[in-house]
Amino acid sequence: MVEWKHITGFGMYESYYTSYKGHTITILKLKENRAYTYVWGYHDKIEAEVTFQADNWDAAKAYAFNSIKKRLDEKAKFWRDLKISFTNWVEEK
Protein backbone atom coordinates (compact mmCIF):
# COMPACT_ATOMS: atom_id res chain seq x y z
CA MET A 1 0.00 0.00 0.00
CA VAL A 2 1.30 3.42 -0.93
CA GLU A 3 1.49 5.97 1.83
CA TRP A 4 0.77 9.56 0.92
CA LYS A 5 1.98 12.63 2.73
CA HIS A 6 -0.26 15.68 2.35
CA ILE A 7 1.78 18.84 2.21
CA THR A 8 -0.43 21.55 3.64
CA GLY A 9 -0.33 25.02 2.20
CA PHE A 10 0.86 23.72 -1.14
CA GLY A 11 -2.20 21.67 -2.15
CA MET A 12 -0.29 18.53 -3.03
CA TYR A 13 0.24 14.94 -2.06
CA GLU A 14 3.58 13.25 -2.28
CA SER A 15 4.62 9.63 -2.00
CA TYR A 16 8.07 8.10 -1.90
CA TYR A 17 8.96 4.49 -2.46
CA THR A 18 12.42 4.18 -1.01
CA SER A 19 13.55 0.87 -2.39
CA TYR A 20 16.78 0.84 -4.35
CA LYS A 21 14.87 2.35 -7.30
CA GLY A 22 13.73 5.37 -5.28
CA HIS A 23 10.36 6.01 -6.96
CA THR A 24 8.68 9.35 -6.25
CA ILE A 25 5.18 10.45 -7.22
CA THR A 26 3.98 13.98 -6.53
CA ILE A 27 0.42 15.05 -7.30
CA LEU A 28 -0.37 18.76 -7.28
CA LYS A 29 -3.80 20.38 -7.28
CA LEU A 30 -3.70 23.30 -9.70
CA LYS A 31 -5.72 26.45 -9.23
CA GLU A 32 -8.06 25.59 -12.09
CA ASN A 33 -11.13 23.58 -11.16
CA ARG A 34 -10.48 19.80 -11.34
CA ALA A 35 -6.95 20.27 -12.75
CA TYR A 36 -4.08 18.20 -11.36
CA THR A 37 -0.51 17.47 -12.35
CA TYR A 38 1.54 14.46 -11.43
CA VAL A 39 5.30 14.24 -11.53
CA TRP A 40 6.86 10.77 -11.44
CA GLY A 41 10.47 9.84 -11.31
CA TYR A 42 13.09 7.50 -9.95
CA HIS A 43 16.82 7.66 -9.33
CA ASP A 44 16.41 11.47 -9.03
CA LYS A 45 15.33 11.65 -12.68
CA ILE A 46 11.91 12.97 -13.77
CA GLU A 47 10.29 10.40 -16.01
CA ALA A 48 6.89 12.03 -16.61
CA GLU A 49 5.00 15.22 -15.87
CA VAL A 50 1.33 15.08 -16.87
CA THR A 51 -1.57 17.50 -16.36
CA PHE A 52 -5.06 15.99 -16.27
CA GLN A 53 -8.62 16.42 -14.97
CA ALA A 54 -9.96 14.59 -11.91
CA ASP A 55 -12.92 15.03 -9.59
CA ASN A 56 -10.98 14.68 -6.32
CA TRP A 57 -7.70 13.56 -4.76
CA ASP A 58 -8.58 9.87 -4.84
CA ALA A 59 -9.43 10.03 -8.55
CA ALA A 60 -6.20 11.97 -9.17
CA LYS A 61 -4.13 9.33 -7.37
CA ALA A 62 -5.83 6.52 -9.33
CA TYR A 63 -5.21 8.33 -12.62
CA ALA A 64 -1.53 8.84 -11.79
CA PHE A 65 -1.03 5.17 -10.90
CA ASN A 66 -2.81 3.90 -14.01
CA SER A 67 -0.88 6.29 -16.22
CA ILE A 68 2.47 5.26 -14.72
CA LYS A 69 1.61 1.55 -15.03
CA LYS A 70 0.78 2.11 -18.71
CA ARG A 71 4.10 3.90 -19.30
CA LEU A 72 5.98 1.05 -17.59
CA ASP A 73 4.13 -1.53 -19.71
CA GLU A 74 5.13 0.38 -22.86
CA LYS A 75 8.76 0.54 -21.71
CA ALA A 76 8.76 -3.19 -20.88
CA LYS A 77 7.35 -4.00 -24.33
CA PHE A 78 9.99 -1.84 -26.01
CA TRP A 79 12.88 -3.54 -24.18
CA ARG A 80 11.40 -7.02 -24.69
CA ASP A 81 11.06 -6.37 -28.45
CA LEU A 82 14.58 -4.94 -28.59
CA LYS A 83 15.97 -8.03 -26.85
CA ILE A 84 14.12 -10.37 -29.25
CA SER A 85 15.34 -8.37 -32.24
CA PHE A 86 18.93 -8.44 -31.00
CA THR A 87 18.79 -12.18 -30.28
CA ASN A 88 17.38 -12.88 -33.76
CA TRP A 89 20.08 -10.74 -35.36
CA VAL A 90 22.86 -12.52 -33.45
CA GLU A 91 21.49 -15.98 -34.29
CA GLU A 92 21.27 -15.11 -38.03
CA LYS A 93 25.05 -14.66 -38.25
Side-chain angles (χ1 to χ4, degrees):
M1 184 69 165
V2 174
E3 292 184 32
W4 292 95
K5 174 183 170 186
H6 183 104
I7 301 173
T8 56
F10 293 101
M12 68 182 188
Y13 278 90
E14 198 162 39
S15 183
Y16 295 97
Y17 177 62
T18 55
S19 72
Y20 84 102
K21 294 289 184 191
H23 289 276
T24 303
I25 302 170
T26 303
I27 299 176
L28 303 113
K29 173 90 168 89
L30 304 177
K31 289 184 180 181
E32 296 88 34
N33 197 17
R34 296 182 59 232
Y36 294 82
T37 294
Y38 80 77
V39 179
W40 166 60
Y42 54 93
H43 287 308
D44 296 326
K45 175 185 167 196
I46 293 177
E47 192 65 28
E49 184 173 340
V50 177
T51 300
F52 59 96
Q53 298 286 312
D55 291 328
N56 54 45
W57 281 110
D58 290 333
K61 292 175 201 174
Y63 180 91
F65 281 127
N66 289 332
S67 180
I68 292 167
K69 286 178 187 177
K70 183 178 177 184
R71 289 179 71 94
L72 288 170
D73 286 343
E74 290 168 357
K75 285 177 172 271
K77 181 184 179 313
F78 169 81
W79 287 107
R80 184 191 69 233
D81 291 349
L82 184 64
K83 179 183 179 237
I84 290 168
S85 175
F86 177 78
T87 300
N88 290 341
W89 174 69
V90 168
E91 290 176 357
E92 285 177 3
K93 303 290 177 184

